[in-house]
Amino acid sequence: MRVVRGQGMDQRTGLDAGSERPVPGTPCWVSLMVDDLAATQEFYARLFGWEFQPGPPQLGPYTRASLDGRVVAGLGRRPEGRTLPVAWTPYLATDDVDETAGTVRHCGGTVAVGPLDAEDAGRLAVAADPSGAVFGIWQGREHRGAAVEGVAGSVLWHELETPETTGVLPFYQAVFGYDVDPAPVGDSATLLLEKRPVASVEGVGPALGEGGAPRWRTHFAVDDPDETVNRVIELGGRVQRPPREGTYGRTATVADPAGAVFTVARPRPQAGAAGTAA
C-alpha cells in the first residue's frame, strides 16, 4: 500500500487532495522525543534510510525525517525536567487544537503540553486519555503531517493498547467523533472516520504486564520484517516480539536503543488498513 499526500482522496486517511488537510481525528504525524537526538537519528537513518531537516525551533532541538524528500516523522530532544515518555507518539488532526484540548479535559483526559505554536508549521498539544495513553493533537498550517505513508520506512498504522476497550472508546468518540467497528472476536475495535478505518484499539488485559501502562503503538511498513529485526539488533536495539505471521501479515515488535517500542510490519496484499494492526 502506498499513500502519498496530495494525490487524490486517500480512502484510509481521508485526506482531501485539494486542501491537503486531514479529516479531524486522522493520525497525521508521529514524533519521538529522546535524550540523545544524534544517536537516535543515526539509528533510524541506518534502519529506514531516513534523512533529516531542521524543524521548528520552538520545540527545542527537533528534526523532520524524510524518505525521498517526503516527510514521514519527527525526532526531537526531550526537554529537561519533563517526564515525557520515550515513545513514538501519534498526532491526531484537528481544526482547532485549543477547542480539542478543552474537550479532552472535559471528557476526563489531561493535557500535559500546550496548546502552543510551532512557528508557521501549526499548533499542537500533547494529551493523555483517561487511562494514561499519550497522544498528540495537531492543527496544521504549513505542515499538515506526513507526506507519505504505507511504503517501507514510513508509518503504516497506529494501535492503542489498553487493558480493555470499553473504558476508552467513549473518550475518543466524544473528542474526535470516531465511529467504532468492534471486532467479531476478542476485545478490539477499529476507529472509523467517514466509514474509513484510521486506527485500532486493542484490549490486551493483563498482557500489558505488571506496571505496564496503556500506550499508542506505531507500526512502520517494511519489506522484510525478519531482515529488519536483525538490523535492529545490529544497531543496538532489542526484540520484544520476534517476527510472526498474523491474520493480516508478518509483524515483529522491537525497541530502539533509547527504549522506544514500535512494530514493523509487512501486510499481506489487499489486507486492508485495519489489518496492519494485527
Side-chain angles (χ1 to χ4, degrees), residues 63-141:
T63 60
R64 291 177 183 156
S66 62
L67 284 171
D68 299 324
R70 295 182 181 273
V71 292
V72 293
L75 293 176
R77 184 172 298 157
R78 190 164 55 165
E80 293 184 8
R82 291 273 179 87
T83 57
L84 295 173
V86 178
W88 282 104
T89 302
Y91 279 73
L92 309 178
T94 181
D95 289 336
D96 188 332
V97 69
D98 295 81
E99 180 179 346
T100 302
T103 305
V104 166
R105 295 187 183 97
H106 179 75
C107 293
T110 57
V111 178
V113 178
L116 56 86
D117 286 317
E119 284 191 324
D120 296 329
R123 188 164 172 80
L124 67 91
V126 178
D129 67 26
S131 75
V134 176
F135 62 93
I137 310 167
W138 181 253
Q139 179 184 344
R141 294 171 185 153

Side-chain angles (χ1 to χ4, degrees), residues 137-232:
I137 310 167
W138 181 253
Q139 179 184 344
R141 294 171 185 153
E142 290 183 354
H143 174 64
R144 300 293 175 84
V148 60
E149 295 180 350
V151 301
S154 68
V155 170
L156 184 66
W157 191 246
H158 295 286
E159 179 183 61
L160 173 60
E161 295 179 346
T162 187
E164 48 84 27
T165 62
T166 57
V168 296
L169 286 175
F171 169 83
Y172 287 99
Q173 288 178 282
V175 175
F176 294 105
Y178 296 127
D179 291 321
V180 174
D181 183 13
V185 178
D187 185 21
S188 62
T190 301
L191 302 179
L192 308 174
L193 287 173
E194 300 179 356
K195 300 183 179 180
R196 290 180 292 268
V198 296
S200 56
V201 181
E202 184 73 20
V204 298
L208 279 176
E210 185 177 355
R215 64 232 169 188
W216 280 93
R217 176 70 52 78
T218 296
H219 292 58
F220 289 99
V222 297
D223 292 327
D224 187 335
D226 297 77
E227 180 181 339
T228 302
V229 164
N230 291 335
R231 189 68 170 155
V232 166

